[in-house]
Amino acid sequence: MTRRSPRAGAAAAAAASGLAALRAEVGVPEGHDPAVLAEAEEAASRPIEDGLERADRRDLPLVTLDPAGSKDLDQAFHLAVDGSGFVVHYAIADVASFVTPGGALDAETHRRGVTYYGPDGRFGLHPPVLSEGAASLLPEVDRRAVLWRIRLDGDGVIRDVDVERAIVRSRAQLDYVGVQAALDAGTADEMLTLLPRVGALRAELQVQRGGASLDVPDQEVETHDERYRLVYRAALPVEEDNAQLSLLTGIVAARLQREAGIGLWRTLQAAREEDVARLRRVALGLGLDWPAGTSYGAFARTIDSRIPEHAAFATEATTLFRGAGYVAFGTPEHPDVPVGAAHSAIAAEYAHVTAPLRRLVDRYGTEVALAQVAGRPVPEWVVAALEALPVEMASATQRAGAYERGGLDLLEALIMAPRVGRTYDAVVVESTRSKEDDGEARATVLLTSPAVRARVVGPRDRLRAGSRVRVTVTATDVERRSVTLELADAG
């Protein structure tokens, strides 16, 4: 889970110079070099029949489901009842078919690692001619894809999987708000009504395995009477259902990589007991009832991010799981399949394969799965790159996180500037003793409205994790991206 950057509109325009400085500071790449653009243009212009063996699956009525206005469409799906169970078809953009190993575009994607998202836009892993054009699964056009077919039993348990290169044609570009409204009104297409059913089954299995899934709300900037305010955007149920299709595909991809004895898994350390205890205190401070015998995963399913206190809890819960990374295996340096390398939130071995337009590792993991199912060796260009990918992705995700957090800090400072002197209700989400051990603590507090997370210093007995406090905004500094708070008088 990650804290997402806000959509900022005019607020981001007012902070344009600060955001540009932030990108330079953290090393976010912006434009692409001419050689990269030229290679991408050439790749985009190639005929769809690229010489690779592909199934023609244009008969399959796939649809995409993303935020409204998205252009970089990695995935399309189709669901059907299969006897007493279900069959999931999941088409993923075949990015590898556009990237020549060792070429300028390949080198640039390794330098970038990911697509970078900020308040003023996105800075893509690939040039737009590919990510928003020839490689994107846009509606009513033929596209190259890697098509997964996953059969589930009536409880959502995986029965078997197949994966192949294909030519597909998405029938519609759907968005979360529209699909949720249709589901709620009972007017959704019959195929779409299977999405909540499959999503719920997979989410329940995740909890049973000891995992947890939590919709983290967006922090957004709204305008009102020519002023700005930070709010939480409630996640829709259909977003979690859609995410479960991606998690399902990542789990079966990891299984195929295990069978092949080579691959790259996404890993996440288990939550520490002291962090779970701290989060319980945060829940208490927010007025949420987390029964003593209920696991985090089960409690997380009760969170409704449309409620401000729940949204604040979900945002803070992103700190529960630390140590995300990647582990490569089947290489000369690390030949053996790793032991204990699961993703703790998913509670399963897991590989990234579903977002190749936005994440470098996905096209490598996909090639391993294709090779394993076809019974052929993994391509040498994949094997040669695996060992370096965990370090490359760690660097890229660190940059992306710094940019997202810095952009949020910048807009918090910008939006709170007119509110200096005002006092707000807050809950303490983290507290540490001061170095001087003078009875004071340095704490992080969360305001539910406006949606701000900031630091405050004060007496330890008032700044215990989970405590409710009143804080006053005493200063903001847009250039330093900071908001300064002080504890208001008790009572």
Side-chain angles (χ1 to χ4, degrees):
M1 297 177 290
T2 58
R3 191 186 304 279
R4 303 173 187 167
S5 295
R7 305 184 182 99
S17 62
L19 290 166
L22 174 62
R23 286 193 294 275
E25 176 186 321
V26 302
V28 172
E30 298 190 32
H32 290 83
D33 292 337
V36 173
L37 294 173
E39 189 174 315
E41 291 278 359
E42 189 278 328
S45 68
R46 297 173 196 159
I48 193 167
E49 293 82 7
D50 58 353
L52 297 177
E53 184 178 346
R54 293 185 183 277
D56 186 344
R57 293 311 314 270
R58 284 172 284 194
D59 62 310
L60 194 62
L62 299 160
V63 299
T64 59
L65 180 56
D66 298 272
S70 297
K71 296 180 181 179
D72 52 342
L73 309 180
D74 289 287
Q75 315 110 5
F77 71 91
H78 182 267
L79 307 174
V81 173
D82 181 37
S84 60
F86 308 90
V87 59
V88 178
H89 280 100
Y90 209 48
I92 308 298
D94 189 1
V95 176
S97 69
F98 293 92
V99 180
T100 301
L105 177 57
D106 185 30
E108 181 66 6
T109 59
H110 278 266
R111 185 172 76 90
R112 292 176 178 241
V114 297
T115 290
Y116 297 84
Y117 294 92
D120 58 346
R122 56 187 293 278
F123 301 89
L125 176 62
H126 304 89
V129 68
L130 292 178
S131 63
E132 299 179 8
S136 178
L137 301 183
L138 297 166
E140 299 301 342
V141 288
D142 295 346
R143 286 291 185 257
R144 303 174 200 159
V146 174
L147 183 62
W148 297 75
R149 188 206 66 206
I150 306 169
R151 296 188 186 278
L152 307 175
D153 69 15
D155 295 321
V157 176
I158 299 164
R159 289 166 49 195
D160 62 66
V161 59
D162 189 23
V163 57
E164 62 183 349
R165 281 197 154 90
I167 297 175
V168 302
R169 188 179 182 91
S170 170
R171 298 298 194 271
Q173 181 176 353
L174 307 179
D175 65 82
Y176 293 127
V177 173
V179 170
Q180 188 66 60
L183 288 169
D184 292 343
T187 59
D189 178 90
E190 182 179 358
M191 189 277 287
L192 289 176
T193 64
L194 297 178
L195 182 56
R197 290 174 59 187
V198 173
L201 290 171
R202 294 300 304 172
E204 178 59 32
L205 288 171
Q206 184 175 350
V207 173
Q208 289 178 13
R209 293 193 304 266
S213 183
L214 184 66
D215 285 325
V216 181
D218 281 321
Q219 286 180 278
E220 295 186 349
V221 179
E222 291 185 348
T223 58
H224 182 68
D225 294 335
E226 299 184 353
R227 302 187 71 176
Y228 304 111
R229 65 191 184 107
L230 281 161
V231 298
Y232 292 113
R233 183 190 70 81
L236 297 171
V238 73
E239 295 179 63
E240 167 61 16
D241 296 328
N242 193 46
Q244 285 295 334
L245 298 185
S246 180
L247 296 180
L248 168 65
T249 308
I251 290 170
V252 297
R255 291 187 183 183
L256 291 174
Q257 291 180 11
R258 169 177 279 282
E259 292 171 7
I262 181 172
L264 187 75
W265 289 346
R266 181 63 165 166
T267 61
L268 183 64
Q269 296 176 7
R272 300 180 304 181
E273 290 184 7
E274 56 265 37
D275 289 334
V276 176
R278 179 184 61 80
L279 197 60
R280 280 186 175 275
R281 292 193 293 271
V282 171
L284 180 63
L286 288 167
L288 308 182
D289 181 20
W290 184 348
T294 302
S295 69
Y296 167 73
F299 176 67
R301 295 196 68 186
T302 71
I303 295 299
D304 182 351
S305 58
R306 292 170 294 184
I307 302 170
E309 289 77 11
H310 288 223
F313 175 86
T315 301
E316 188 54 31
T318 61
T319 65
L320 186 60
F321 294 94
R322 294 183 171 92
Y326 293 90
V327 58
F329 58 97
T331 66
E333 294 86 351
H334 297 90
D336 298 327
V337 176
V339 176
H343 189 293
S344 61
I346 300 170
E349 294 167 347
Y350 178 64
H352 273 156
V353 293
T354 62
L357 289 173
R358 294 168 282 161
R359 202 167 45 211
L360 172 64
V361 299
D362 296 53
R363 63 181 157 102
Y364 289 89
T366 296
E367 293 300 316
V368 176
L370 284 165
Q372 174 62 15
V373 169
R376 56 175 170 77
V378 175
E380 182 54 39
W381 63 267
V382 175
V383 179
L386 283 182
E387 194 66 43
L389 277 169
V391 174
E392 292 175 327
M393 290 306 300
S395 177
T397 53
Q398 184 178 25
R399 283 195 304 270
Y403 182 48
E404 290 177 2
R405 181 63 244 176
L408 180 56
D409 289 343
L410 176 68
L411 290 182
E412 286 180 342
L414 178 70
I415 291 170
M416 295 303 286
R419 295 167 169 81
V420 171
R422 294 190 187 181
T423 300
Y424 296 92
D425 292 320
V427 61
V428 178
V429 295
E430 192 169 17
S431 181
T432 58
R433 291 172 177 264
S434 65
K435 292 182 180 179
E436 294 77 15
D437 197 21
D438 54 5
E440 292 204 327
R442 298 180 183 276
T444 301
V445 299
L446 201 65
L447 284 62
T448 56
S449 181
V452 170
R453 192 173 190 267
R455 303 281 289 177
V456 66
V457 176
R460 281 205 305 270
D461 61 350
R462 293 184 60 194
L463 291 176
R464 301 184 188 279
S467 299
R468 288 184 174 272
V469 294
R470 296 272 289 169
V471 292
T472 300
V473 183
T474 58
T476 64
D477 189 325
V478 175
E479 183 175 348
R480 295 185 177 181
R481 304 186 291 272
S482 66
V483 175
T484 303
L485 304 177
E486 287 185 0
L487 278 176
D489 292 338

